[in-house]
């Protein structure tokens, strides 16, 4: 049975899954395929890292697969009628007509609709392989609560980072030691963000949002564009991106006065 098992690694492009991949290679862990589910909302630095992992896979003879959100008839008709060049992810966030008649899913994070789509895409892919799959998942030793114990039809999840007792901090250190740094606009993203998740994730905290506004101004402008297209506020306290923009600007002015 062991010889018939197919081993995959689910790669998000963040510190934990990248550390898992790099150490798996160093440990000689059996690996047949690396699978990426790309929703189309990643940082440029993450795509750079994914390209780097792809180059390693090509050299090592490991299959590298990128899965995306399948286009729907609704999406194709929208693009044809409007001429807008937007991704399926953006279409779902802003323009998809839901069963209740509302337009767009809005911010992804609190509702985690993007995560649900990722899981479905990955599950469909594994079912299509018609083999028993062991999927290596990058969950760190200090995130045991995130383990998925749901039974699956033809695959099982494995968590090597937990076996190796690698925490999130260990994973980031391991990546830096192997020259993977997620640099964008001349800075390391993990120096200003706690998590390098989807760019427009709604779960970013105030520290991360302040840093995006300061160090990634083009992305902050994009956040404001998104907010103009989404009727729901960004934060659970009812504040939207425009409210936060004013708040951060006022904080910056106060800081200047404090130093006068």
């Amino acid at each position: 049975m062991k010889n018939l098992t197919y081993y995959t690694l689910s790669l998000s492009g963040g510190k934990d899954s990248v550390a898992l991949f790099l150490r798996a290679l160093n440990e000689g862990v059996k690996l047949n395929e690396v699978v990426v589910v790309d929703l189309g909302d990643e940082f440029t630095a993450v795509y750079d890292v994914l390209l780097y992992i792809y180059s390693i896979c090509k050299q090592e003879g490991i299959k590298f697969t990128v899965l995306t959100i399948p286009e729907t008839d609704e999406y194709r008709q929208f693009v044809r009628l409007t001429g807008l060049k937007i991704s399926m992810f953006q279409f779902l966030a802003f323009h998809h007509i839901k069963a209740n008649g509302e337009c767009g899913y809005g911010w992804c994070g609190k509702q985690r609709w993007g995560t649900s789509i990722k899981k479905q895409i990955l599950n469909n892919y594994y079912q299509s392989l018609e083999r028993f799959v062991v999927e290596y998942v990058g969950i760190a030793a200090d995130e045991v609560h995130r383990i998925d114990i749901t039974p699956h039809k033809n695959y099982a999840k494995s968590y090597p980072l937990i076996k190796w007792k690698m925490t999130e901090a260990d994973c980031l250190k391991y990546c830096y030691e192997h020259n993977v740094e997620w640099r964008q606009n001349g800075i390391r993203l993990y120096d200003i963000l706690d998590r390098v998740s989807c760019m427009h994730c709604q779960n970013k905290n105030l520290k991360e949002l302040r840093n995006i506004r300061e160090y990634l101004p083009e992305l902050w402008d994009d956040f404001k564009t998104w907010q103009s297209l989404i009727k729901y506020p960004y934060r659970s306290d009812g504040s939207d991106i425009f409210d936060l923009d004013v708040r951060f600007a006022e904080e910056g002015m106060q800081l200047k006065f404090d130093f006068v």
Side-chain angles (χ1 to χ4, degrees), residues 23-197:
R23 181 157 178 184
L25 283 187
N26 289 337
E27 297 279 341
V29 173
K30 186 173 178 61
L31 179 59
N32 301 108
E33 182 175 359
V34 169
V35 183
V36 176
V37 181
D38 177 20
L39 296 184
D41 194 46
E42 304 292 347
F43 287 93
T44 301
V46 170
Y47 287 119
D48 290 341
V49 169
L50 292 175
L51 281 172
Y52 173 64
I53 300 301
Y54 165 72
S55 69
I56 297 175
C57 288
K58 189 172 182 180
Q59 182 177 349
E60 297 292 331
I62 299 169
K63 185 178 180 181
F64 188 93
T65 299
V66 178
L67 307 173
T68 57
I69 308 175
E71 294 183 359
T72 61
D73 290 339
E74 182 192 19
Y75 166 77
R76 285 190 286 267
Q77 183 179 17
F78 176 85
V79 171
R80 185 170 63 253
L81 292 175
T82 65
L84 295 176
K85 297 184 182 297
I86 62 173
S87 67
M88 264 296 295
F89 186 80
Q90 291 172 317
F91 171 76
L92 292 172
F94 309 143
H95 306 293
H96 165 62
I97 305 301
K98 298 189 290 185
N100 62 6
E102 290 188 356
C103 187
Y105 287 121
W107 297 107
C108 179
K110 298 292 189 293
Q111 297 183 55
R112 302 186 71 82
W113 55 267
T115 301
S116 297
I117 290 173
K118 264 190 174 185
K119 288 181 178 179
Q120 188 60 55
I121 291 172
L122 202 55
N123 181 71
N124 290 346
Y125 181 67
Y126 287 151
Q127 301 306 325
S128 72
L129 295 178
E130 297 183 347
R131 304 176 69 172
F132 183 75
V133 175
V134 171
E135 178 194 31
Y136 302 128
V137 182
I139 290 182
D142 47 354
E143 288 191 306
V144 176
H145 61 281
R146 292 183 55 212
I147 288 178
D148 179 10
I149 60 173
T150 305
H152 300 280
K153 184 178 179 181
N154 72 323
Y155 72 96
K157 295 177 181 288
S158 177
Y159 304 93
L161 293 175
I162 296 175
K163 176 184 176 182
W164 297 328
K165 299 181 180 179
M166 291 183 70
T167 65
E168 289 186 86
D170 294 331
C171 290
L172 184 58
K173 182 173 180 287
Y174 193 84
C175 290
Y176 284 171
E177 289 172 348
H178 289 77
N179 300 315
V180 179
E181 296 189 326
W182 292 272
R183 286 193 177 272
Q184 188 162 321
N185 286 19
I187 59 173
R188 298 188 305 188
L189 290 184
Y190 278 106
D191 288 344
I192 63 170
L193 304 173
D194 295 337
R195 293 187 178 279
V196 180
S197 54

Side-chain angles (χ1 to χ4, degrees), residues 107 199-206 208-210 212-213 217-249:
W107 297 107
M199 284 193 298
H200 300 92
C201 177
Q202 191 183 13
N203 290 328
K204 288 181 170 56
N205 57 42
L206 286 175
E208 292 175 302
L209 293 169
R210 284 190 189 94
I212 287 173
R213 184 177 184 272
E218 291 181 1
L219 176 56
W220 184 249
D221 287 341
D222 211 34
F223 263 84
K224 288 190 281 188
T225 299
W226 276 53
Q227 185 65 80
S228 69
L229 295 167
I230 296 173
K231 68 177 183 179
Y232 310 107
Y234 183 85
R235 287 175 56 79
S236 55
D237 63 5
S239 57
D240 63 20
I241 295 299
F242 300 108
D243 297 326
L244 292 172
D245 194 47
V246 172
R247 173 178 173 174
F248 297 156

